[in-house]
Structures are given as structure tokens and as C-alpha cells.
Amino acid sequence: MKILVCGKGGCGKSVVATLIAKELARRGKSVLVIDMDESNFGIYKNFGVEQPKDFIQYLGGRKAVKEKIFQAREGFNKMTIDDIPEDFVVSKDNIKIMAIGKIREFGEGCACPIGAVAREFLKSLRLRDNEFVVVDTDAGIEHFGRGVEESCDLIVAVVEPSYESMQLTNKIVEISNKIGKRVITVANKVDDETSKFIKADAYIPFKREIYLACLKGEEVPPIDESKGIVELFLT
Ligand SMILES: Nc1ncnc2c1ncn2[C@@H]1O[C@H](COP(=O)(O)OP(=O)(O)OP(=O)(O)O)[C@@H](O)[C@H]1O
Ligand SMILES: [Mg+2]
């Protein structure tokens, strides 16, 4: 199953992707986390690992992909998780993590090649029954425009208690329905009062231990609410 986690900037996409991946791994599943956020470097610390090499280097780097964008399509040719070269993944507790690519330099160019590689890689990646992919996306809905969702089986829309986040989530649900993708909504960072404003499939309270772990760059601790989220799509 390929799961894509999306939502407004800062709503908790990376935290929720981490919690889902950890809960799946706890249940004995093999998980590949794909970081397709071209700007942030944060999801690795959530797992307590270092970032691997950008996967886009596998195809000769951004320029090569940009010049011949569909090289990406041929480059993968029905890969499995085990085929991903070692340099481009870090592994921990049944979880592998990879980064599609990051923008690191001034004037380096736009994120289009990263989106194209993510889309083509996801499309050609072959999964066994016990394998799950969790994609942590960049903020907003540009990835819908790039067609990254095409080969995903489930969209997880993370919503925080803010008007803008709720508006964007409505949009994500609308687009997902239009393209025939199952979507579940996860309200994150809520409390008893704010949760009343959001109708979601699952709720994660604002947890001080998560907040502090993120602040210190430490591993995100497992929480009970992850079980309920995973059960929404495993059963
Ligand atoms: N359930 C939670 N409880 C407390 N704090 C949280 C929770 N979820 C997220 N946070 C806080 O929100 C911050 C942003 O979370 P996260 O990095 O997962 O968001 P994001 O949507 O991935 O952001 P970006 O759009 O920048 O990628 C974290 O650094 C942490 O401080
Ligand atoms: Mg993030």
C-alpha cells in the first residue's frame, strides 16, 4: 500500500508520517518512508537517523533529470524496495527512509525535477504484501498538480486547528474524491476545545512530548493514537 501524507505547512505532516510508519513497523510491516519535501530536512531526526544521499543523484542529479525528465521513468523499471541502492536509504527498525532531493543552493532551480522523480518512482515501485510506503510531502497541494498521487492508494490529509488548514483540507478531500482516491483526515495538535471545530477520521492531541522532541531534534516518541489511525486503513 502506498500512502501519501499531505496538508498545510507546519500542520504536522512529517510527525504524522513518522507515527504511521512507526506503528506499521511495530505491527511487523516493512515500511519505506519517502521524503519528497524539497525544502525541509527534518523527518530524519523524527526517526533518530541521519539523512541519506538524495535519490535524484541516482539519476545523475537535478540537471540530468530536468534536461530529460522522462529519463526518470525508464530509470526505475519496476524497482522493489530491496533494489534501492544502499547509499540512498537509511534503515532503522524495519523502516527504510529515503529523500528524493533537496534544494540546497541559491539559484539551483525549481522543485519540478524532484516532483517528477517522486511521481515516476512511486509509479514504478513494486510492493510485496507486507510492504508499505509512506510519503511525506511538501506543504500545500502542488504535488497534486504534479500528479504524485496517481499511484497512491491512500491520501492522509493532516489538519491543524486553523481556518487555513481546514480550508486546504476541504480542497484536498475534494481533489482526492475527484481522482477516486481514498482519503482519511487526521486532526493534529488539537485539544478538547479546538477538536470541536474539526470533523476528522482521527485526532491527535497537542502532546508536549512530541513538541519537545521536535524542538530538540530528537526521535518522536510513539503515541497510542497512532494505532487508531493505522486501523482505519488496515482493516
Ligand atoms: N501532535 C503534536 N503535538 C505537539 N506538537 C506537534 C504535534 N505535531 C506537530 N507538532 C509541532 O509542529 C511542528 C511541525 O510539525 P511537522 O514538522 O510534522 O509539520 P509539517 O507539516 O511536516 O511541516 P512542513 O510543512 O514544514 O513540512 C513540530 O516541529 C512540532 O513542534
Ligand atoms: Mg514536513
PDB file of all heavy atoms in Angstrom, residues 19-20 22-24 26-27 186 202-205 207 209-210 220-232:
ATOM      1  N   LEU A  19       4.653   8.789  12.746  1.00  0.00           N
ATOM      2  CA  LEU A  19       3.845   7.964  13.657  1.00  0.00           C
ATOM      3  C   LEU A  19       3.215   6.781  12.912  1.00  0.00           C
ATOM      4  O   LEU A  19       3.181   5.659  13.427  1.00  0.00           O
ATOM      5  CB  LEU A  19       2.752   8.821  14.316  1.00  0.00           C
ATOM      6  CG  LEU A  19       3.255   9.899  15.289  1.00  0.00           C
ATOM      7  CD1 LEU A  19       2.111  10.822  15.707  1.00  0.00           C
ATOM      8  CD2 LEU A  19       3.908   9.271  16.528  1.00  0.00           C
ATOM      9  N   ILE A  20       2.743   7.030  11.697  1.00  0.00           N
ATOM     10  CA  ILE A  20       2.140   5.948  10.898  1.00  0.00           C
ATOM     11  C   ILE A  20       3.215   4.905  10.568  1.00  0.00           C
ATOM     12  O   ILE A  20       3.004   3.695  10.728  1.00  0.00           O
ATOM     13  CB  ILE A  20       1.490   6.506   9.610  1.00  0.00           C
ATOM     14  CG1 ILE A  20       0.232   7.312   9.953  1.00  0.00           C
ATOM     15  CG2 ILE A  20       1.142   5.378   8.627  1.00  0.00           C
ATOM     16  CD1 ILE A  20      -0.426   8.019   8.767  1.00  0.00           C
ATOM     17  N   LYS A  22       6.003   4.239  12.113  1.00  0.00           N
ATOM     18  CA  LYS A  22       6.434   3.509  13.312  1.00  0.00           C
ATOM     19  C   LYS A  22       5.391   2.482  13.753  1.00  0.00           C
ATOM     20  O   LYS A  22       5.732   1.394  14.194  1.00  0.00           O
ATOM     21  CB  LYS A  22       6.710   4.490  14.456  1.00  0.00           C
ATOM     22  CG  LYS A  22       8.008   5.257  14.255  1.00  0.00           C
ATOM     23  CD  LYS A  22       8.342   6.062  15.498  1.00  0.00           C
ATOM     24  CE  LYS A  22       9.744   6.659  15.362  1.00  0.00           C
ATOM     25  NZ  LYS A  22      10.338   7.042  16.617  1.00  0.00           N
ATOM     26  N   GLU A  23       4.122   2.849  13.642  1.00  0.00           N
ATOM     27  CA  GLU A  23       3.068   1.925  14.049  1.00  0.00           C
ATOM     28  C   GLU A  23       2.992   0.727  13.087  1.00  0.00           C
ATOM     29  O   GLU A  23       2.813  -0.408  13.515  1.00  0.00           O
ATOM     30  CB  GLU A  23       1.720   2.666  14.140  1.00  0.00           C
ATOM     31  CG  GLU A  23       0.516   1.811  14.481  1.00  0.00           C
ATOM     32  CD  GLU A  23       0.626   1.055  15.823  1.00  0.00           C
ATOM     33  OE1 GLU A  23       1.462   1.424  16.668  1.00  0.00           O
ATOM     34  OE2 GLU A  23      -0.125   0.073  15.990  1.00  0.00           O
ATOM     35  N   LEU A  24       3.165   0.993  11.794  1.00  0.00           N
ATOM     36  CA  LEU A  24       3.172  -0.110  10.822  1.00  0.00           C
ATOM     37  C   LEU A  24       4.342  -1.053  11.109  1.00  0.00           C
ATOM     38  O   LEU A  24       4.196  -2.274  11.100  1.00  0.00           O
ATOM     39  CB  LEU A  24       3.254   0.434   9.392  1.00  0.00           C
ATOM     40  CG  LEU A  24       1.976   1.090   8.843  1.00  0.00           C
ATOM     41  CD1 LEU A  24       2.267   1.829   7.542  1.00  0.00           C
ATOM     42  CD2 LEU A  24       0.870   0.048   8.621  1.00  0.00           C
ATOM     43  N   ARG A  26       5.848  -1.493  13.934  1.00  0.00           N
ATOM     44  CA  ARG A  26       5.571  -2.201  15.195  1.00  0.00           C
ATOM     45  C   ARG A  26       4.702  -3.427  14.968  1.00  0.00           C
ATOM     46  O   ARG A  26       4.794  -4.425  15.664  1.00  0.00           O
ATOM     47  CB  ARG A  26       4.869  -1.235  16.178  1.00  0.00           C
ATOM     48  CG  ARG A  26       4.905  -1.651  17.632  1.00  0.00           C
ATOM     49  CD  ARG A  26       4.016  -0.768  18.499  1.00  0.00           C
ATOM     50  NE  ARG A  26       2.610  -0.818  18.117  1.00  0.00           N
ATOM     51  CZ  ARG A  26       1.745  -1.758  18.490  1.00  0.00           C
ATOM     52  NH1 ARG A  26       2.145  -2.729  19.289  1.00  0.00           N
ATOM     53  NH2 ARG A  26       0.494  -1.725  18.079  1.00  0.00           N
ATOM     54  N   ARG A  27       3.857  -3.325  13.913  1.00  0.00           N
ATOM     55  CA  ARG A  27       2.988  -4.458  13.578  1.00  0.00           C
ATOM     56  C   ARG A  27       3.677  -5.449  12.639  1.00  0.00           C
ATOM     57  O   ARG A  27       3.022  -6.292  12.029  1.00  0.00           O
ATOM     58  CB  ARG A  27       1.702  -3.957  12.920  1.00  0.00           C
ATOM     59  CG  ARG A  27       0.804  -3.236  13.902  1.00  0.00           C
ATOM     60  CD  ARG A  27      -0.343  -2.542  13.196  1.00  0.00           C
ATOM     61  NE  ARG A  27      -1.043  -1.680  14.131  1.00  0.00           N
ATOM     62  CZ  ARG A  27      -2.332  -1.802  14.453  1.00  0.00           C
ATOM     63  NH1 ARG A  27      -3.075  -2.728  13.877  1.00  0.00           N
ATOM     64  NH2 ARG A  27      -2.881  -0.989  15.321  1.00  0.00           N
ATOM     65  N   VAL A 186      -6.780  13.503   9.455  1.00  0.00           N
ATOM     66  CA  VAL A 186      -6.244  13.398  10.813  1.00  0.00           C
ATOM     67  C   VAL A 186      -6.098  14.811  11.378  1.00  0.00           C
ATOM     68  O   VAL A 186      -5.314  15.614  10.870  1.00  0.00           O
ATOM     69  CB  VAL A 186      -4.866  12.690  10.816  1.00  0.00           C
ATOM     70  CG1 VAL A 186      -4.279  12.671  12.225  1.00  0.00           C
ATOM     71  CG2 VAL A 186      -4.978  11.272  10.264  1.00  0.00           C
ATOM     72  N   ALA A 202      -9.643  10.878  12.525  1.00  0.00           N
ATOM     73  CA  ALA A 202      -8.825  10.566  13.699  1.00  0.00           C
ATOM     74  C   ALA A 202      -8.304  11.879  14.290  1.00  0.00           C
ATOM     75  O   ALA A 202      -8.217  12.887  13.584  1.00  0.00           O
ATOM     76  CB  ALA A 202      -7.662   9.674  13.294  1.00  0.00           C
ATOM     77  N   TYR A 203      -7.950  11.824  15.569  1.00  0.00           N
ATOM     78  CA  TYR A 203      -7.500  13.037  16.272  1.00  0.00           C
ATOM     79  C   TYR A 203      -6.207  12.744  17.037  1.00  0.00           C
ATOM     80  O   TYR A 203      -6.091  11.696  17.677  1.00  0.00           O
ATOM     81  CB  TYR A 203      -8.574  13.507  17.265  1.00  0.00           C
ATOM     82  CG  TYR A 203      -9.848  13.963  16.588  1.00  0.00           C
ATOM     83  CD1 TYR A 203     -10.809  13.033  16.175  1.00  0.00           C
ATOM     84  CD2 TYR A 203     -10.080  15.310  16.325  1.00  0.00           C
ATOM     85  CE1 TYR A 203     -11.970  13.439  15.522  1.00  0.00           C
ATOM     86  CE2 TYR A 203     -11.242  15.725  15.683  1.00  0.00           C
ATOM     87  CZ  TYR A 203     -12.177  14.786  15.278  1.00  0.00           C
ATOM     88  OH  TYR A 203     -13.324  15.196  14.633  1.00  0.00           O
ATOM     89  N   ILE A 204      -5.268  13.663  16.923  1.00  0.00           N
ATOM     90  CA  ILE A 204      -4.040  13.573  17.729  1.00  0.00           C
ATOM     91  C   ILE A 204      -3.955  14.866  18.558  1.00  0.00           C
ATOM     92  O   ILE A 204      -3.904  15.965  18.001  1.00  0.00           O
ATOM     93  CB  ILE A 204      -2.766  13.459  16.861  1.00  0.00           C
ATOM     94  CG1 ILE A 204      -2.828  12.225  15.962  1.00  0.00           C
ATOM     95  CG2 ILE A 204      -1.521  13.423  17.747  1.00  0.00           C
ATOM     96  CD1 ILE A 204      -1.641  12.104  15.000  1.00  0.00           C
ATOM     97  N   PRO A 205      -3.980  14.732  19.878  1.00  0.00           N
ATOM     98  CA  PRO A 205      -3.898  15.939  20.706  1.00  0.00           C
ATOM     99  C   PRO A 205      -2.539  16.618  20.570  1.00  0.00           C
ATOM    100  O   PRO A 205      -1.566  15.989  20.138  1.00  0.00           O
ATOM    101  CB  PRO A 205      -4.068  15.417  22.133  1.00  0.00           C
ATOM    102  CG  PRO A 205      -4.415  13.994  22.026  1.00  0.00           C
ATOM    103  CD  PRO A 205      -4.049  13.498  20.670  1.00  0.00           C
ATOM    104  N   LYS A 207       0.651  17.238  21.968  1.00  0.00           N
ATOM    105  CA  LYS A 207       1.368  16.482  23.009  1.00  0.00           C
ATOM    106  C   LYS A 207       2.701  17.158  23.279  1.00  0.00           C
ATOM    107  O   LYS A 207       3.516  17.319  22.357  1.00  0.00           O
ATOM    108  CB  LYS A 207       1.633  15.047  22.545  1.00  0.00           C
ATOM    109  CG  LYS A 207       0.365  14.278  22.261  1.00  0.00           C
ATOM    110  CD  LYS A 207       0.430  12.897  22.862  1.00  0.00           C
ATOM    111  CE  LYS A 207      -0.875  12.175  22.612  1.00  0.00           C
ATOM    112  NZ  LYS A 207      -1.142  11.164  23.608  1.00  0.00           N
ATOM    113  N   GLU A 209       5.259  16.009  24.708  1.00  0.00           N
ATOM    114  CA  GLU A 209       6.447  15.171  24.445  1.00  0.00           C
ATOM    115  C   GLU A 209       6.826  15.199  22.958  1.00  0.00           C
ATOM    116  O   GLU A 209       7.994  15.133  22.603  1.00  0.00           O
ATOM    117  CB  GLU A 209       6.269  13.741  24.960  1.00  0.00           C
ATOM    118  CG  GLU A 209       5.200  12.898  24.287  1.00  0.00           C
ATOM    119  CD  GLU A 209       3.850  12.915  25.014  1.00  0.00           C
ATOM    120  OE1 GLU A 209       3.483  13.970  25.582  1.00  0.00           O
ATOM    121  OE2 GLU A 209       3.159  11.875  24.992  1.00  0.00           O
ATOM    122  N   ILE A 210       5.817  15.349  22.077  1.00  0.00           N
ATOM    123  CA  ILE A 210       6.116  15.464  20.639  1.00  0.00           C
ATOM    124  C   ILE A 210       6.725  16.834  20.363  1.00  0.00           C
ATOM    125  O   ILE A 210       7.731  16.960  19.677  1.00  0.00           O
ATOM    126  CB  ILE A 210       4.838  15.257  19.789  1.00  0.00           C
ATOM    127  CG1 ILE A 210       4.355  13.809  19.905  1.00  0.00           C
ATOM    128  CG2 ILE A 210       5.100  15.615  18.314  1.00  0.00           C
ATOM    129  CD1 ILE A 210       3.139  13.472  19.074  1.00  0.00           C
ATOM    130  N   VAL A 220      10.796  11.170  17.608  1.00  0.00           N
ATOM    131  CA  VAL A 220       9.398  11.358  18.032  1.00  0.00           C
ATOM    132  C   VAL A 220       8.922  10.095  18.759  1.00  0.00           C
ATOM    133  O   VAL A 220       9.039   8.989  18.224  1.00  0.00           O
ATOM    134  CB  VAL A 220       8.502  11.661  16.803  1.00  0.00           C
ATOM    135  CG1 VAL A 220       7.030  11.558  17.154  1.00  0.00           C
ATOM    136  CG2 VAL A 220       8.822  13.051  16.255  1.00  0.00           C
ATOM    137  N   PRO A 221       8.425  10.235  19.994  1.00  0.00           N
ATOM    138  CA  PRO A 221       8.013   9.046  20.751  1.00  0.00           C
ATOM    139  C   PRO A 221       6.712   8.460  20.202  1.00  0.00           C
ATOM    140  O   PRO A 221       5.879   9.193  19.669  1.00  0.00           O
ATOM    141  CB  PRO A 221       7.791   9.608  22.161  1.00  0.00           C
ATOM    142  CG  PRO A 221       7.435  11.046  21.950  1.00  0.00           C
ATOM    143  CD  PRO A 221       8.158  11.486  20.721  1.00  0.00           C
ATOM    144  N   PRO A 222       6.546   7.136  20.304  1.00  0.00           N
ATOM    145  CA  PRO A 222       5.284   6.545  19.859  1.00  0.00           C
ATOM    146  C   PRO A 222       4.134   7.000  20.751  1.00  0.00           C
ATOM    147  O   PRO A 222       4.334   7.251  21.939  1.00  0.00           O
ATOM    148  CB  PRO A 222       5.526   5.035  20.004  1.00  0.00           C
ATOM    149  CG  PRO A 222       6.672   4.901  20.937  1.00  0.00           C
ATOM    150  CD  PRO A 222       7.464   6.163  20.898  1.00  0.00           C
ATOM    151  N   ILE A 223       2.952   7.127  20.180  1.00  0.00           N
ATOM    152  CA  ILE A 223       1.776   7.508  20.986  1.00  0.00           C
ATOM    153  C   ILE A 223       0.626   6.549  20.650  1.00  0.00           C
ATOM    154  O   ILE A 223       0.583   5.984  19.552  1.00  0.00           O
ATOM    155  CB  ILE A 223       1.336   8.974  20.704  1.00  0.00           C
ATOM    156  CG1 ILE A 223       1.051   9.200  19.204  1.00  0.00           C
ATOM    157  CG2 ILE A 223       2.366   9.968  21.206  1.00  0.00           C
ATOM    158  CD1 ILE A 223       0.293  10.478  18.915  1.00  0.00           C
ATOM    159  N   ASP A 224      -0.290   6.390  21.585  1.00  0.00           N
ATOM    160  CA  ASP A 224      -1.390   5.435  21.409  1.00  0.00           C
ATOM    161  C   ASP A 224      -2.281   5.758  20.223  1.00  0.00           C
ATOM    162  O   ASP A 224      -2.819   4.858  19.572  1.00  0.00           O
ATOM    163  CB  ASP A 224      -2.257   5.410  22.671  1.00  0.00           C
ATOM    164  CG  ASP A 224      -1.686   4.480  23.705  1.00  0.00           C
ATOM    165  OD1 ASP A 224      -0.741   3.732  23.345  1.00  0.00           O
ATOM    166  OD2 ASP A 224      -2.149   4.515  24.858  1.00  0.00           O
ATOM    167  N   GLU A 225      -2.443   7.040  19.925  1.00  0.00           N
ATOM    168  CA  GLU A 225      -3.358   7.450  18.848  1.00  0.00           C
ATOM    169  C   GLU A 225      -2.951   6.891  17.485  1.00  0.00           C
ATOM    170  O   GLU A 225      -3.779   6.752  16.589  1.00  0.00           O
ATOM    171  CB  GLU A 225      -3.419   8.979  18.763  1.00  0.00           C
ATOM    172  CG  GLU A 225      -4.210   9.657  19.864  1.00  0.00           C
ATOM    173  CD  GLU A 225      -3.453   9.758  21.182  1.00  0.00           C
ATOM    174  OE1 GLU A 225      -2.281   9.331  21.257  1.00  0.00           O
ATOM    175  OE2 GLU A 225      -4.050  10.271  22.154  1.00  0.00           O
ATOM    176  N   SER A 226      -1.673   6.549  17.322  1.00  0.00           N
ATOM    177  CA  SER A 226      -1.209   6.003  16.036  1.00  0.00           C
ATOM    178  C   SER A 226      -1.945   4.708  15.689  1.00  0.00           C
ATOM    179  O   SER A 226      -2.176   4.412  14.523  1.00  0.00           O
ATOM    180  CB  SER A 226       0.287   5.691  16.082  1.00  0.00           C
ATOM    181  OG  SER A 226       1.003   6.773  16.580  1.00  0.00           O
ATOM    182  N   LYS A 227      -2.288   3.937  16.719  1.00  0.00           N
ATOM    183  CA  LYS A 227      -2.938   2.643  16.480  1.00  0.00           C
ATOM    184  C   LYS A 227      -4.269   2.841  15.760  1.00  0.00           C
ATOM    185  O   LYS A 227      -4.566   2.179  14.779  1.00  0.00           O
ATOM    186  CB  LYS A 227      -3.175   1.911  17.805  1.00  0.00           C
ATOM    187  CG  LYS A 227      -1.887   1.546  18.495  1.00  0.00           C
ATOM    188  CD  LYS A 227      -2.134   0.882  19.838  1.00  0.00           C
ATOM    189  CE  LYS A 227      -0.791   0.710  20.553  1.00  0.00           C
ATOM    190  NZ  LYS A 227      -0.908   0.624  21.989  1.00  0.00           N
ATOM    191  N   GLY A 228      -5.064   3.784  16.268  1.00  0.00           N
ATOM    192  CA  GLY A 228      -6.381   4.059  15.685  1.00  0.00           C
ATOM    193  C   GLY A 228      -6.263   4.534  14.241  1.00  0.00           C
ATOM    194  O   GLY A 228      -7.097   4.189  13.397  1.00  0.00           O
ATOM    195  N   ILE A 229      -5.235   5.307  13.946  1.00  0.00           N
ATOM    196  CA  ILE A 229      -5.069   5.829  12.575  1.00  0.00           C
ATOM    197  C   ILE A 229      -4.781   4.670  11.626  1.00  0.00           C
ATOM    198  O   ILE A 229      -5.405   4.528  10.578  1.00  0.00           O
ATOM    199  CB  ILE A 229      -3.929   6.878  12.519  1.00  0.00           C
ATOM    200  CG1 ILE A 229      -4.272   8.073  13.413  1.00  0.00           C
ATOM    201  CG2 ILE A 229      -3.695   7.334  11.081  1.00  0.00           C
ATOM    202  CD1 ILE A 229      -3.158   9.090  13.559  1.00  0.00           C
ATOM    203  N   VAL A 230      -3.840   3.831  12.007  1.00  0.00           N
ATOM    204  CA  VAL A 230      -3.445   2.709  11.150  1.00  0.00           C
ATOM    205  C   VAL A 230      -4.612   1.729  10.970  1.00  0.00           C
ATOM    206  O   VAL A 230      -4.816   1.178   9.887  1.00  0.00           O
ATOM    207  CB  VAL A 230      -2.176   2.048  11.754  1.00  0.00           C
ATOM    208  CG1 VAL A 230      -1.962   0.657  11.223  1.00  0.00           C
ATOM    209  CG2 VAL A 230      -0.963   2.925  11.471  1.00  0.00           C
ATOM    210  N   GLU A 231      -5.392   1.545  12.037  1.00  0.00           N
ATOM    211  CA  GLU A 231      -6.529   0.625  11.924  1.00  0.00           C
ATOM    212  C   GLU A 231      -7.596   1.130  10.943  1.00  0.00           C
ATOM    213  O   GLU A 231      -8.365   0.342  10.397  1.00  0.00           O
ATOM    214  CB  GLU A 231      -7.123   0.347  13.310  1.00  0.00           C
ATOM    215  CG  GLU A 231      -6.379  -0.802  13.982  1.00  0.00           C
ATOM    216  CD  GLU A 231      -6.459  -0.791  15.494  1.00  0.00           C
ATOM    217  OE1 GLU A 231      -7.390  -0.162  16.046  1.00  0.00           O
ATOM    218  OE2 GLU A 231      -5.581  -1.418  16.122  1.00  0.00           O
ATOM    219  N   LEU A 232      -7.615   2.433  10.711  1.00  0.00           N
ATOM    220  CA  LEU A 232      -8.584   2.977   9.734  1.00  0.00           C
ATOM    221  C   LEU A 232      -8.360   2.398   8.344  1.00  0.00           C
ATOM    222  O   LEU A 232      -9.292   2.243   7.566  1.00  0.00           O
ATOM    223  CB  LEU A 232      -8.451   4.506   9.644  1.00  0.00           C
ATOM    224  CG  LEU A 232      -9.022   5.337  10.785  1.00  0.00           C
ATOM    225  CD1 LEU A 232      -8.606   6.794  10.615  1.00  0.00           C
ATOM    226  CD2 LEU A 232     -10.543   5.222  10.849  1.00  0.00           C
TER     227      LEU A 232
END
